[in-house]
Amino acid sequence: MSPLSRRKFVAAVGGTVAGIALGSKVLEATAATNAAPDAYAQKFLDQYNKIKSSASGYFSPAGVPYHSVETLMVEAPDHGHETTSEAFSYWMWLEAVYGRVTGDWAPFNATWAAAEKYIIPTATDQPSNASYNASKPATYAPEWPDPSNYPSPLDGSVPVGADPIAGELQSAYGTPDVYGMHWLLDVDNVYGYGNTAGTGGENGPGASGPCYINSYQRGAQESVWETIPQPCTDLMKYGGTNGYLDLFVKDSSYAKQWKYTNAPDADARAIQAAYWAYRWASAQGNAGAVSASVAKAAKMGDYLRYGMFDKYFKQIGNCTSPSGCPAGTGRSSQHYLLGWYYAWGGAEPGGGWAWRIGDGAAHHGYQNPVAAWALSTVSSMAPKSATGKSDWATSLTRQIEFLRWLQSAEGAIAGGATNSWNGQYGAPPAGTPTFYGMYYDWEPVYHDPPSNNWFGMQAWGMERWAEYYYLTKDSKVKPVLDKWITWVSGQVTVGTGGSFQIPSTLSWTGQPDTWNASSPGSNAGLHVTVADYGQDVGVAAALIKALLYYAAATGSSAAQTLGKNLLDALATHTDSKGIAIAETRTDYSRFKDTVYVPSGWTGKMPNGDTIAPGATFLSIRSFYKNDPDFAKVQAYLNGGAVPSFTYHRFWAQADIAMALALYSELFLGGGVTSPSVTPSASKSASASASASASASVSASASRSPSASPSRGGASVTASYHVDSDWGTGFTATVTVRNSGTTPISSWRVTWAWAGNQQIVNAWNAGSTQSGRTVTAVNLGYNGTIPPGGSTTFGFQATYSGTNAAPTLSASGS
């Protein structure tokens, strides 16, 4: 993997028996052991079981996933046994897929319980939100291009706008607290701050994790190698006289305080995972099993809107000086894209103040149309606030425009845009193109290395767009996908014996045309080249998923074949902990990089390491010298060979598992595999993570393409419900119920439209439409319905005029 200084986040799940700590209670889920319906579903279970095996080491004793199994790891987190909101979101997604394959939703629900316990700050961890003043969200402090420009002075003379959503969030949820994941946890309290989740304190080196921690704070050039870690709750026990606060912000005096940073792409991925869980559980007739977790995702989406606002709630567009850029009013500060972060903080109890900021910098790789679509169109995921649903509908439209604006002549997607040039509302170079007044930035936010040079941003981002197109058949997206798939397919090589290569580092020249919604430009002057290739297994998995969703949505046999071939090549690199390939780390020469500390500043890390001018990455992290793998790094620092490591990152291992399951789902009709061992609780489980999970649909090994009339003791009925309707299209769910006394093994539902409705996409049923007549039949995994049981299928359709509900006929045998 090309090292990337990005606020990105990764992790895992632990056990053929995996312990998820819920206070002193532990939920233990035993993985499915019976035969899967096809080879790829079985490979998913094999990979899943490795991730969940306690012997693999993906999870902490508290049941929190690590960034990687290995501890010697520096990329975005600066230690392998930290974790991130990204890791939690991949964990949620992995367990959603597990629920689809097995019908067991307890592990999925347990991820949300763990998130609320460890990475979504509790009221104790964010204690002064009641003092937040939405009319003055924060005091301005400029960003600077280099860490050496810090600390940055607060400047109360610069106008800041009003926060337009705080009041409606308070009204909707009855609390002033923010419901979002902080991006980084020190899971084993390696640094020793002891900022233990749920305590709101600095409990020191003797405390057990997971503990809140932060790192990046000092401008676009600050790489992971130049950060100074700090606790999220700074009670000034460690660091210098003012804790760590005066390394970052210059003020006349400092108060004990707390602060958190949210990574919007991770929260959006958690919401995306919840949508799939809802869809798949509904197909199994068991939507109630995930309803509480889905409601939490909708709530998270409400707060995630803070990522849609300018950092200081200034107006969007043409901001070229701090004082000249007006304060925003109403929604004039909302760009509707997913920014790089949002953050919030405040005084320790008694201080009487709190603050919130958004971010005016948006990267294409952070956008998530699936989350935006689900939050704005799926009734069960609708946010409670007055404007949450409409904001996400607007965001979806804006994200689509953003994608189209950034596509290069070759097909890859360029960086993004900012409302605050250089992080201080500066004037960009003459001729810089704009997107709704925001300025094009080929490397938004981070420059060491440039944030859009890593190919992973392409794979992550475009997988979501392929997924969105699979769900919606949105015609505005298809031309972009067509071009991107054509470009990337020409850059992938799959050989024999498991050999493959995919792009690793990209290089960019030129810039897009200024965005014109009514007549988009061709971007003939915006170009990408592939600087080098690699074998990043996680990125390969994301790319495979993009290819497979595109193939399923468009019928492209070429994309399906390439995706399958790459998946098969990837699967040959299996080991006892997952699927991994050794990688060399030339960047580990930077262990000796100097970390900027202002002249005259001195302090101590909790373990006694000195923080002073001349300190290095390693000198303030002396614990690395005791790592069993550090000898390889030291030899390299002494002039020896570049060290090689085989890493098991959670996000990568989870995405590989999901790619295997996806091929089964999309192309082999892979369905539910009932676990041969029911999940059980070794100790009484909390209500937020029930140890029992039931599905009203049992697995069926065969598919009956035809359905005879109901007979014997069977009596089959079907009911119809419109989930969302946007005037030109809609989604609906059909529930098929066996109200008889004997099981059925197949079913058929038919109806005739009264208008011009046309189905464009269906799930959990095989559907055909001839004129106005629709026929839907079960798939291989949901044909069997026991007496009193039910299953569901859904579809999306277009229409004009009226949209009357049809009369359904159902039969089964």
Side-chain angles (χ1 to χ4, degrees), residues 105 108-109 277-278 281 286-298 380:
W105 294 102
F108 172 75
N109 292 327
Y278 166 74
N286 202 18
V290 298
S291 59
S293 297
V294 169
K296 294 173 185 178
S380 294

mmCIF file of all heavy atoms in Angstrom, residues 105 108-109 277-278 281 286-298 380:
data_model
loop_
_atom_site.group_PDB
_atom_site.id
_atom_site.type_symbol
_atom_site.label_atom_id
_atom_site.label_comp_id
_atom_site.label_asym_id
_atom_site.label_seq_id
_atom_site.Cartn_x
_atom_site.Cartn_y
_atom_site.Cartn_z
ATOM 1 N N TRP A 105 -28.588 -11.451 12.731
ATOM 2 C CA TRP A 105 -28.362 -10.011 12.788
ATOM 3 C C TRP A 105 -27.805 -9.540 14.130
ATOM 4 O O TRP A 105 -27.540 -8.345 14.307
ATOM 5 C CB TRP A 105 -29.663 -9.273 12.462
ATOM 6 C CG TRP A 105 -30.048 -9.522 11.035
ATOM 7 C CD1 TRP A 105 -31.003 -10.376 10.567
ATOM 8 C CD2 TRP A 105 -29.429 -8.939 9.890
ATOM 9 N NE1 TRP A 105 -31.021 -10.361 9.190
ATOM 10 C CE2 TRP A 105 -30.068 -9.490 8.745
ATOM 11 C CE3 TRP A 105 -28.402 -8.016 9.701
ATOM 12 C CZ2 TRP A 105 -29.703 -9.143 7.445
ATOM 13 C CZ3 TRP A 105 -28.036 -7.663 8.408
ATOM 14 C CH2 TRP A 105 -28.690 -8.223 7.303
ATOM 15 N N PHE A 108 -24.415 -7.670 13.759
ATOM 16 C CA PHE A 108 -24.569 -6.318 13.216
ATOM 17 C C PHE A 108 -25.017 -5.355 14.300
ATOM 18 O O PHE A 108 -24.463 -4.256 14.453
ATOM 19 C CB PHE A 108 -25.567 -6.326 12.060
ATOM 20 C CG PHE A 108 -25.922 -4.950 11.561
ATOM 21 C CD1 PHE A 108 -25.027 -4.224 10.794
ATOM 22 C CD2 PHE A 108 -27.145 -4.371 11.879
ATOM 23 C CE1 PHE A 108 -25.326 -2.944 10.348
ATOM 24 C CE2 PHE A 108 -27.472 -3.100 11.439
ATOM 25 C CZ PHE A 108 -26.557 -2.377 10.670
ATOM 26 N N ASN A 109 -26.003 -5.737 15.067
ATOM 27 C CA ASN A 109 -26.479 -4.871 16.145
ATOM 28 C C ASN A 109 -25.393 -4.628 17.190
ATOM 29 O O ASN A 109 -25.299 -3.545 17.776
ATOM 30 C CB ASN A 109 -27.713 -5.475 16.796
ATOM 31 C CG ASN A 109 -28.918 -5.476 15.864
ATOM 32 O OD1 ASN A 109 -29.077 -4.576 15.048
ATOM 33 N ND2 ASN A 109 -29.749 -6.499 15.970
ATOM 34 N N ALA A 277 -28.230 -3.540 5.552
ATOM 35 C CA ALA A 277 -28.778 -4.427 6.592
ATOM 36 C C ALA A 277 -30.297 -4.372 6.582
ATOM 37 O O ALA A 277 -30.973 -5.412 6.673
ATOM 38 C CB ALA A 277 -28.222 -4.025 7.959
ATOM 39 N N TYR A 278 -30.849 -3.172 6.490
ATOM 40 C CA TYR A 278 -32.310 -3.020 6.447
ATOM 41 C C TYR A 278 -32.890 -3.721 5.225
ATOM 42 O O TYR A 278 -33.897 -4.438 5.320
ATOM 43 C CB TYR A 278 -32.664 -1.533 6.417
ATOM 44 C CG TYR A 278 -34.097 -1.260 6.047
ATOM 45 C CD1 TYR A 278 -35.132 -1.499 6.951
ATOM 46 C CD2 TYR A 278 -34.416 -0.778 4.782
ATOM 47 C CE1 TYR A 278 -36.451 -1.262 6.607
ATOM 48 C CE2 TYR A 278 -35.735 -0.542 4.429
ATOM 49 C CZ TYR A 278 -36.749 -0.780 5.335
ATOM 50 O OH TYR A 278 -38.051 -0.555 4.985
ATOM 51 N N ALA A 281 -32.376 -7.648 5.671
ATOM 52 C CA ALA A 281 -33.232 -8.186 6.733
ATOM 53 C C ALA A 281 -34.697 -8.138 6.314
ATOM 54 O O ALA A 281 -35.471 -9.060 6.604
ATOM 55 C CB ALA A 281 -33.021 -7.412 8.031
ATOM 56 N N ASN A 286 -37.513 -9.979 8.247
ATOM 57 C CA ASN A 286 -37.041 -9.777 9.617
ATOM 58 C C ASN A 286 -36.499 -8.370 9.817
ATOM 59 O O ASN A 286 -35.502 -8.169 10.503
ATOM 60 C CB ASN A 286 -35.948 -10.807 9.926
ATOM 61 C CG ASN A 286 -35.767 -11.034 11.423
ATOM 62 O OD1 ASN A 286 -36.637 -10.698 12.215
ATOM 63 N ND2 ASN A 286 -34.633 -11.594 11.793
ATOM 64 N N ALA A 287 -37.159 -7.371 9.224
ATOM 65 C CA ALA A 287 -36.689 -5.988 9.346
ATOM 66 C C ALA A 287 -36.622 -5.550 10.799
ATOM 67 O O ALA A 287 -35.772 -4.728 11.171
ATOM 68 C CB ALA A 287 -37.600 -5.058 8.553
ATOM 69 N N GLY A 288 -37.483 -6.080 11.635
ATOM 70 C CA GLY A 288 -37.482 -5.709 13.039
ATOM 71 C C GLY A 288 -36.191 -6.047 13.750
ATOM 72 O O GLY A 288 -35.860 -5.426 14.762
ATOM 73 N N ALA A 289 -35.457 -7.026 13.226
ATOM 74 C CA ALA A 289 -34.205 -7.431 13.871
ATOM 75 C C ALA A 289 -33.162 -6.321 13.839
ATOM 76 O O ALA A 289 -32.260 -6.290 14.674
ATOM 77 C CB ALA A 289 -33.644 -8.687 13.207
ATOM 78 N N VAL A 290 -33.257 -5.421 12.866
ATOM 79 C CA VAL A 290 -32.249 -4.370 12.731
ATOM 80 C C VAL A 290 -32.832 -2.976 12.895
ATOM 81 O O VAL A 290 -32.119 -1.981 12.730
ATOM 82 C CB VAL A 290 -31.528 -4.472 11.370
ATOM 83 C CG1 VAL A 290 -30.792 -5.802 11.238
ATOM 84 C CG2 VAL A 290 -32.490 -4.263 10.210
ATOM 85 N N SER A 291 -34.099 -2.858 13.206
ATOM 86 C CA SER A 291 -34.759 -1.550 13.197
ATOM 87 C C SER A 291 -34.115 -0.568 14.167
ATOM 88 O O SER A 291 -33.987 0.628 13.859
ATOM 89 C CB SER A 291 -36.249 -1.706 13.508
ATOM 90 O OG SER A 291 -36.448 -2.323 14.773
ATOM 91 N N ALA A 292 -33.703 -1.022 15.341
ATOM 92 C CA ALA A 292 -33.095 -0.110 16.312
ATOM 93 C C ALA A 292 -31.764 0.428 15.796
ATOM 94 O O ALA A 292 -31.462 1.618 15.930
ATOM 95 C CB ALA A 292 -32.903 -0.815 17.646
ATOM 96 N N SER A 293 -30.956 -0.436 15.179
ATOM 97 C CA SER A 293 -29.670 0.001 14.638
ATOM 98 C C SER A 293 -29.867 0.916 13.439
ATOM 99 O O SER A 293 -29.121 1.882 13.250
ATOM 100 C CB SER A 293 -28.821 -1.215 14.247
ATOM 101 O OG SER A 293 -28.511 -2.001 15.378
ATOM 102 N N VAL A 294 -30.860 0.628 12.617
ATOM 103 C CA VAL A 294 -31.156 1.479 11.467
ATOM 104 C C VAL A 294 -31.565 2.877 11.932
ATOM 105 O O VAL A 294 -31.174 3.890 11.339
ATOM 106 C CB VAL A 294 -32.242 0.837 10.588
ATOM 107 C CG1 VAL A 294 -32.761 1.808 9.537
ATOM 108 C CG2 VAL A 294 -31.686 -0.416 9.908
ATOM 109 N N ALA A 295 -32.327 2.950 13.006
ATOM 110 C CA ALA A 295 -32.714 4.254 13.562
ATOM 111 C C ALA A 295 -31.490 5.028 14.045
ATOM 112 O O ALA A 295 -31.424 6.255 13.911
ATOM 113 C CB ALA A 295 -33.718 4.064 14.694
ATOM 114 N N LYS A 296 -30.514 4.330 14.608
ATOM 115 C CA LYS A 296 -29.280 4.986 15.027
ATOM 116 C C LYS A 296 -28.525 5.538 13.818
ATOM 117 O O LYS A 296 -27.945 6.636 13.877
ATOM 118 C CB LYS A 296 -28.391 4.003 15.789
ATOM 119 C CG LYS A 296 -28.963 3.546 17.118
ATOM 120 C CD LYS A 296 -28.110 2.450 17.742
ATOM 121 C CE LYS A 296 -28.744 1.906 19.018
ATOM 122 N NZ LYS A 296 -27.928 0.809 19.608
ATOM 123 N N ALA A 297 -28.524 4.801 12.725
ATOM 124 C CA ALA A 297 -27.862 5.274 11.511
ATOM 125 C C ALA A 297 -28.540 6.531 10.982
ATOM 126 O O ALA A 297 -27.873 7.471 10.525
ATOM 127 C CB ALA A 297 -27.862 4.173 10.453
ATOM 128 N N ALA A 298 -29.868 6.553 11.021
ATOM 129 C CA ALA A 298 -30.594 7.742 10.572
ATOM 130 C C ALA A 298 -30.241 8.946 11.448
ATOM 131 O O ALA A 298 -30.052 10.061 10.945
ATOM 132 C CB ALA A 298 -32.095 7.476 10.607
ATOM 133 N N SER A 380 -37.711 4.265 6.424
ATOM 134 C CA SER A 380 -37.192 3.744 7.690
ATOM 135 C C SER A 380 -35.869 4.378 8.084
ATOM 136 O O SER A 380 -35.412 4.195 9.212
ATOM 137 C CB SER A 380 -37.013 2.227 7.599
ATOM 138 O OG SER A 380 -38.257 1.584 7.460
#
